[in-house]
Amino acid sequence: KLAMSGVEEISDESVEVKEGEEFDVEAEDHLRDDFLLDPTRYIFYRDRKEWADLEPVPQDDGPNPVVKIAYSEKFSDVYDYFRALLKNDERSERAFALTSEAIELNAANYTVWHYRRVLLQALSKDLREEMRYITAIIEEQPKNYQVWHHRRMVVEWLNDPSEELEFIADILSQDAKNYHAWQHRQWVIQEYKLWDDELDFVENLLEEDVRNNSAWNQRHFVISHTSGFSDAMEREIQYCLYQIKKAPNNESAWNYLKGILQPLGLSAQPGLLERVLELKQTHCSPYLLAFLFDCYEDALENSKENVAEEEQQKTLKKALEICQLLAQEDTIRKEYWLFLGRSLKNKHGKLNNYTFELCVIHPELEII
Amino acid sequence: MGTQVKDVIIKPDAPSTLLLDKHADYIAAYGSKKDDYEYTLSEYLRMSGIYWGLTVMDLMGQLPRMNRQEIIDFIKACQHECGGISASIGHDPHLLYTLSAVQILCLYDSVDALDVDKVVEYIKGLQQEDGSFAGDKWGEIDTRFSFCAVATLALLGKMDTINVDKAVEFVLSCMNFDGGFGCRPGSESHAGQIYCCSGFLSLTGQLHQVNADLLGWWLCERQLPSGGLNGRPEKLPDVCYSWWVLASLKIIGRIHWIDKAKLRSFILACQDEETGGFADRPGDMVDPFHTLFGVAGLSLLGDEQIKPVNPVLCMPEDVLQRINLQPDLLS
């Protein structure tokens, strides 16, 4: 087992900052004098005797490189030696240690991560220690595909998810919408059947930020995989309306409500329309109006045989009024609202297209 | 009905005209400028970086400024024994970079630089039992990789070599309650994933499985007061979503649901008048990725100074016409 005499630098300053300072010649000379006094000085791989057996492999940008690229010295040094190890497919402790340095310089480099996994297995490394390592890396760089995938591999190899929910919760406390974190969480929960406390977890997140779309998605994920929505429907509707009262302009809450009701049909839910109309008085929003439209549309689509023509046309009129209002208020999506009105009218109505457009442009005419 | 919304404010002096020449100069010089640290750091995605640069240059009619032979030789050196292609020399093969390589070679009409049968074999080997695709031998599953697989095979005319039905089944299992798609079943809907899944369904002739009105609504909800588009609710706008969202809307036939004028002014505001290129949002640092998607977005919006771009493959339409590949779009 080779021991490295070059000690890893203890500072975690970014390499860019160091470029100007540590690596200019004068400083180097000065440091050489002080070497015996300061054993923590960083030593390039090219200067370490235990690496002298390897021929470093410089960056290859292709057969006819047009571009002469200037890398930072430390980066080139580490990666020159990384490439040398790869070339020889060396499976050793020093190779493993070097992957840590390469990762620190560029954690998105998927080839380094691959190699590290090969080494983890070839050298039968302590996977618990690897868990500590990957935990630290993810804390620093939580928005990187490679680090999360690596963590998943280690959890699978250990077959031990016991730290995962707490760890992911910690990452989410720094950014509650981290897409990678949520992926990993869903995988852990599904793979190891850790559903029990997840609904509580989601509710806590929604207490903190009711607009967290990831948390709403997770709510749907948990319920669809556990109780299902049939018994839970009334509770979920109440939950949505309660959250909407707290923050009316919340796309996520409205998308969720519509999403859970859609399979059965919005007009199939007794009393729902009335509750939404009541909410309209005090907590109106474009989303509420859009939802009302969806209710009316569903009613028209699924109306029973005995519903009078007059009733139908009344519902249609209410729906079209909503489109008119939204086309004026939510102008950025005007085309969408006009489309909705036109299609509904074409399907169920007696008004022609021209009349409808006129209503939108000249609402004061009160044509409908 | 206005409310505190997460958005940017475009300053009155933000760029408002299209600076194509500056962007062409920016891309042509990329990689040879002094500050190369960013270039070095992005080596692990070099193949995609080249695809972004070449595609945007071609869309601007400036492809001849790039070094065709050097790039073809580079790609040859990146094909591994297993058939897969890596981001750069000395890196491991991956589906992402296999697609980028094939896209580049299509631009240059030089697909024969690769061992095509081997590429097909590599892709086939990555399909899982449930129809999904891993990105590489380490097994990460993501609908992005389903898209990469079928897009590459479509460009090579070899779609029939995989189990398409199973692949479709998996992608459809990623459709969510809001009509969108995530990276795996149950994952939150995200514009980038929606683009991949819409593109996938287009290439496999399955667009009728999309709830176009529901998804179209979700997508046009991405537009914020600034005119820019975000990737999911309550997030800031980013110019790359001008591609992911806009192309998806085009594929499902609902691009007119976006306020085009407002989006155009957002995209133009993301230009850097001094350096050329586009940033994710006004005032930030530019990069080739955002430059491609800014220009491609403008093309989809109908800017006549830019070549028409195909919304499924993000490649110039004339290239796809040459190889006779016209993926379905809904109307």
Side-chain angles (χ1 to χ4, degrees):
Chain A
K1 216 175 164 184
L2 295 169
M4 276 170 51
S5 70
V7 179
E8 264 190 355
E9 59 184 332
I10 47 177
S11 160
D12 62 1
E13 264 183 293
S14 79
V15 182
E16 274 174 289
V17 170
K18 286 200 176 325
E19 263 190 276
E21 297 166 357
E22 224 177 80
F23 303 137
D24 74 328
V25 177
E26 272 182 41
E28 284 271 306
D29 282 344
H30 190 64
L31 286 168
R32 234 191 295 276
D33 294 333
D34 296 337
F35 178 61
L36 288 170
L37 302 168
D38 181 10
T40 63
R41 180 181 78 99
Y42 182 79
I43 300 177
F44 291 120
Y45 282 86
R46 64 180 185 242
D47 297 327
R48 303 185 198 186
K49 10 189 243 299
E50 0 35 281
W51 287 80
D53 62 299
L54 268 184
E55 186 69 46
V57 176
Q59 172 56 24
D60 180 357
D61 286 308
N64 308 297
V66 172
V67 168
K68 173 96 177 72
I69 293 167
Y71 303 113
S72 87
E73 250 195 300
K74 179 172 176 182
F75 192 97
S76 322
D77 181 58
V78 168
Y79 273 89
D80 286 352
Y81 279 84
F82 174 69
R83 281 183 281 270
L85 293 167
L86 261 192
K87 189 171 170 187
N88 299 339
D89 193 18
E90 182 175 312
R91 314 263 172 115
S92 68
E93 282 298 332
R94 71 175 182 177
F96 185 75
L98 190 137
T99 62
S100 306
E101 291 230 50
I103 284 164
E104 193 187 330
L105 290 168
N106 190 359
N109 189 320
Y110 65 102
T111 298
V112 180
W113 284 107
H114 289 188
Y115 190 54
R116 189 179 175 89
R117 281 192 286 274
V118 165
L119 292 171
L120 278 169
Q121 294 187 311
L123 303 172
S124 303
K125 297 293 289 180
D126 180 348
L127 293 177
R128 299 267 164 216
E129 207 182 308
E130 188 65 5
M131 277 298 284
R132 286 191 285 278
Y133 173 75
I134 194 62
T135 296
I137 299 284
I138 295 176
E139 291 281 352
E140 286 168 34
Q141 304 192 52
K143 299 208 178 167
N144 162 326
Y145 284 103
Q146 320 308 330
V147 300
W148 287 98
H149 185 65
H150 188 76
R151 188 185 180 94
R152 174 172 160 160
M153 301 283 337
V154 178
V155 169
E156 280 183 338
W157 287 341
L158 280 171
N159 198 32
D160 177 8
S162 59
E163 291 175 29
E164 296 318 281
L165 293 183
E166 197 183 317
F167 170 71
I168 301 164
D170 182 58
I171 297 293
L172 289 174
S173 72
Q174 295 161 46
D175 174 359
K177 301 177 192 181
N178 183 326
Y179 199 74
H180 305 283
W182 282 109
Q183 297 315 301
H184 188 73
R185 196 171 181 90
Q186 286 194 345
W187 170 72
V188 165
I189 288 175
Q190 210 160 10
E191 185 72 16
Y192 297 99
K193 307 194 185 352
L194 301 173
W195 301 98
D196 291 350
D197 300 321
E198 193 61 4
L199 194 57
D200 283 341
F201 178 74
V202 165
E203 289 206 6
N204 287 335
L205 283 181
L206 288 174
E207 278 303 301
E208 285 171 32
D209 177 8
V210 71
R211 296 174 208 279
N212 184 337
N213 195 63
S214 311
W216 282 101
N217 184 72
Q218 189 75 344
R219 192 178 181 93
H220 194 275
F221 177 72
V222 172
I223 295 174
S224 40
H225 283 93
T226 53
S227 61
F229 281 97
S230 12
D231 292 337
M233 190 62 83
E234 182 52 42
R235 180 196 75 202
E236 290 304 295
I237 294 173
Q238 287 218 37
Y239 184 80
C240 286
L241 295 178
Y242 170 72
Q243 299 299 355
I244 285 163
K245 285 200 186 99
K246 286 204 288 179
N249 282 280
N250 184 351
E251 184 189 344
S252 305
W254 284 106
N255 281 351
Y256 181 85
L257 182 61
K258 179 172 168 180
I260 61 177
L261 290 167
Q262 198 94 65
L264 293 169
L266 270 61
S267 56
Q269 199 63 27
L272 179 66
L273 182 64
E274 287 70 27
R275 283 151 96 175
V276 177
L277 283 168
E278 201 189 309
L279 206 54
K280 181 171 180 260
Q281 305 304 315
T282 47
H283 297 84
C284 198
S285 72
Y287 306 111
L288 184 146
L289 294 175
F291 187 84
L292 263 184
F293 176 92
D294 289 331
C295 291
Y296 293 138
E297 183 186 31
D298 195 69
L300 288 168
E301 294 284 305
N302 300 304
S303 54
K304 312 273 189 286
E305 287 296 315
N306 60 355
V307 174
E309 180 67 44
E310 203 191 315
E311 186 68 36
Q312 291 267 70
Q313 289 303 306
K314 263 193 193 167
T315 304
L316 176 64
K317 185 180 174 205
K318 282 187 263 190
L320 294 180
E321 277 168 354
I322 287 176
C323 290
Q324 180 184 325
L325 183 58
L326 285 167
Q328 285 154 19
E329 296 284 338
D330 189 28
T331 50
I332 216 168
R333 273 165 283 275
K334 186 165 133 192
E335 289 304 318
Y336 174 70
W337 302 119
L338 290 178
F339 161 80
L340 273 196
R342 267 196 311 268
S343 354
L344 198 67
K345 194 170 31 59
N346 286 339
K347 255 189 161 170
H348 301 282
K350 313 224 181 281
L351 295 171
N352 60 34
N353 279 325
Y354 172 76
T355 314
F356 179 70
E357 306 275 347
L358 200 62
C359 300
V360 174
I361 301 161
H362 295 289
E364 74 282 3
L365 295 177
E366 293 183 23
I367 293 168
I368 54 166
Chain B
M1 287 173 200
T3 184
Q4 192 130 43
V5 158
K6 229 170 161 175
D7 197 1
V8 299
I9 296 183
I10 300 179
K11 297 192 191 143
D13 61 350
S16 57
T17 53
L18 183 54
L19 310 162
L20 280 183
D21 290 337
K22 281 224 152 263
H23 304 317
D25 290 344
Y26 166 70
I27 298 289
Y30 189 77
S32 62
K33 50 191 194 353
K34 279 229 131 194
D35 179 2
D36 299 306
Y37 199 58
E38 175 200 313
Y39 188 78
T40 311
L41 277 187
S42 58
E43 184 193 293
Y44 73 94
L45 54 67
R46 182 66 60 237
M47 195 62 73
S48 294
I50 294 173
Y51 153 73
W52 301 327
L54 294 184
T55 304
V56 73
M57 289 299 264
D58 196 357
L59 287 174
M60 297 189 289
Q62 300 286 317
L63 189 59
R65 284 171 76 172
M66 309 302 276
N67 193 324
R68 180 175 184 274
Q69 199 51 51
E70 179 204 335
I71 289 165
I72 294 175
D73 291 339
F74 173 74
I75 293 175
K76 278 187 187 159
C78 288
Q79 183 168 28
H80 290 243
E81 262 184 58
C82 60
I85 298 161
S86 53
S88 187
I89 294 166
H91 285 251
D92 290 318
H94 196 286
L95 253 186
L96 292 170
Y97 310 113
T98 302
L99 171 61
S100 293
V102 170
Q103 286 173 305
I104 295 165
L105 292 174
C106 285
L107 288 182
Y108 281 142
D109 198 7
S110 298
V111 168
D112 52 7
L114 289 174
D115 181 343
V116 170
D117 289 337
K118 270 294 197 178
V119 174
V120 173
E121 201 182 302
Y122 174 71
I123 296 173
K124 196 167 159 183
L126 290 170
Q127 187 167 27
Q128 310 297 300
E129 265 183 53
D130 63 0
S132 66
F133 281 85
D136 64 14
K137 69 183 184 200
W138 292 99
E140 186 192 353
I141 304 293
D142 190 323
T143 47
R144 285 183 298 147
F145 307 145
S146 301
F147 174 77
C148 290
V150 302
T152 310
L153 293 173
L155 288 168
L156 298 174
K158 304 272 185 188
M159 186 87 88
D160 52 356
T161 51
I162 51 157
N163 187 336
V164 176
D165 290 340
K166 262 299 191 183
V168 170
E169 198 184 299
F170 176 75
V171 167
L172 291 178
S173 75
C174 298
M175 196 189 295
N176 293 320
F177 62 88
D178 51 18
F181 295 84
C183 76
R184 290 188 283 277
S187 302
E188 188 186 359
S189 297
H190 181 287
Q193 310 292 150
I194 288 169
Y195 163 76
C196 290
C197 293
S198 311
F200 172 96
L201 292 169
S202 160
L203 290 165
T204 53
Q206 299 290 314
L207 277 174
H208 56 276
Q209 310 257 24
V210 171
N211 186 335
D213 287 343
L214 182 62
L215 179 56
W217 153 245
W218 192 95
L219 288 168
C220 76
E221 267 294 303
R222 296 308 107 236
Q223 191 162 30
L224 296 164
S226 65
L229 306 175
N230 63 17
R232 41 184 175 139
E234 292 297 313
K235 289 239 139 195
L236 287 172
D238 181 327
V239 103
C240 68
Y241 292 112
S242 308
W243 178 258
W244 311 125
V245 173
L246 210 60
S248 302
L249 281 168
K250 181 78 185 179
I251 293 169
I252 65 172
R254 273 116 176 102
I255 197 172
H256 51 288
W257 287 358
I258 283 284
D259 184 323
K260 292 186 177 181
K262 290 205 93 175
L263 178 58
R264 182 181 165 85
S265 39
F266 175 84
I267 299 174
L268 292 176
C270 294
Q271 297 173 107
D272 186 318
E273 284 170 323
E274 283 176 34
T275 60
F278 289 72
D280 59 352
R281 49 191 77 98
D284 281 356
M285 281 209 43
V286 303
D287 60 53
F289 174 84
H290 290 96
T291 303
L292 168 61
F293 295 122
V295 171
L298 289 171
S299 171
L300 277 184
L301 290 175
D303 191 304
E304 288 179 353
Q305 294 171 82
I306 307 167
K307 279 197 202 173
V309 69
N310 181 274
V312 173
L313 288 155
C314 195
M315 292 167 68
E317 285 284 11
D318 57 12
V319 172
L320 295 184
Q321 270 153 32
R322 190 202 333 120
I323 64 177
N324 228 337
L325 179 58
Q326 301 285 257
D328 298 336
L329 303 178
L330 291 178
S331 52

